[in-house]
Amino acid sequence: MTAIRVLLVDDDPLVRAGLSLMMGGAGDIEIVGEGADGYEAEALVDRTRPDVVLMDIRMPSVDGLTATERLRARADAPQVVVLTTFHADEQVLHALRAGAAGFVLKDTPPAEIVDAVRRVAAGDPVLSPAVTRQLMRHAAGTRADTRQARARDRLAALNDREREVAVAVGRGLANAEIATGLFMSVATVKTHVSRILAKLGLNNRVQIALLAYDAGLLDE
């Protein structure tokens, strides 16, 4: 089995050492490099070609948000998981909108961080429905009418069925739950999700959820 290649980016060497130690015991994970800021992260991605980048969000020089935006704009973008000390933070929201696959708190138990890396490498976002709702509530105070208008314009590209699936994703439902509620197969749900991502130029389900929330569809 090919090991999951992981790049660690944090300005605290003790945090990097701890992450490296906790993941070093996992036979299916390989630490391919370490960086202290977002500037180093870009060069290291070029050199090491990681599958997943664990990225601190607050760093000197180039911060994790800027680095995430730059990395996710690449054609061969690695998955990015944001490291943070806050459950609900405006910078975390920006990172998710930029394409981060989720976030983990720095005090998360080691086994859960290892599991998060595995899930992201497999294409699953690391963000529970409860945390997604918490982030959305945090964003509610800063959501402008212009953001809602832009989100509705983007969602106009979807057909009615895709729009229903997008709303269900925004409400935190799993594929099986969406299939039951909308009377379709799980395979059809997956197809709709893939089409939504492609039509809207999104990276993952978290971005679908945030866009549906911005458009006000979860209030309807």
Side-chain angles (χ1 to χ4, degrees), residues 3 7-8 15 39 47 63 67 75 165 167 180 186 198-199:
L7 173 65
L8 306 176
V15 171
Y39 178 78
R47 189 182 317 142
D63 62 24
V165 172
V167 171
T180 299
V186 172
K199 282 186 176 183

Side-chain angles (χ1 to χ4, degrees), residues 53-211:
V53 179
L54 279 176
M55 180 92 71
D56 186 18
I57 205 165
R58 291 178 173 82
M59 295 181 290
S61 182
V62 178
D63 62 24
L65 172 58
T66 302
T68 296
E69 291 175 334
R70 291 175 180 175
L71 292 178
R72 292 303 300 168
R74 297 180 176 210
D76 57 346
Q79 297 291 343
V80 177
V81 177
V82 171
L83 292 167
T84 182
T85 55
F86 298 95
H87 279 281
D89 179 86
E90 189 64 27
Q91 286 187 300
V92 174
L93 278 166
H94 283 309
L96 295 173
R97 295 185 196 283
F103 74 90
V104 293
L105 299 177
K106 290 188 176 182
D107 60 358
T108 299
E112 293 182 21
I113 293 181
V114 171
D115 180 62
V117 168
R118 289 174 177 147
R119 287 169 52 195
V120 166
D124 297 325
V126 182
L127 205 60
S128 70
V131 173
T132 302
R133 288 191 292 270
Q134 183 180 3
L135 283 166
M136 289 175 179
R137 285 195 298 270
H138 180 74
T142 60
R143 186 179 70 187
D145 290 341
T146 52
R147 175 177 289 176
Q148 184 179 84
R150 287 197 302 268
R152 288 184 176 246
D153 284 344
R154 292 185 68 185
L155 290 170
L158 305 181
N159 61 40
D160 290 343
R161 203 57 162 162
E162 290 164 347
R163 186 184 178 93
E164 289 177 332
V165 172
V167 171
V169 170
R171 288 180 174 144
L173 300 181
N175 286 341
E177 294 172 315
I178 297 173
T180 299
L182 297 180
F183 305 102
M184 61 177 72
S185 69
V186 172
T188 301
V189 173
K190 291 180 179 178
T191 297
H192 281 309
V193 171
S194 296
R195 287 176 179 167
I196 292 167
L197 293 172
K199 282 186 176 183
L200 302 180
L202 303 178
N203 298 120
N204 54 49
R205 295 169 72 99
V206 175
Q207 289 184 318
I208 296 175
L210 289 171
L211 191 61

Side-chain angles (χ1 to χ4, degrees), residues 29-47:
I29 294 177
E30 176 187 1
I31 305 300
V32 296
E34 298 183 16
D37 62 34
Y39 178 78
E40 288 186 21
E42 293 185 79
L44 285 166
V45 166
D46 288 334
R47 189 182 317 142

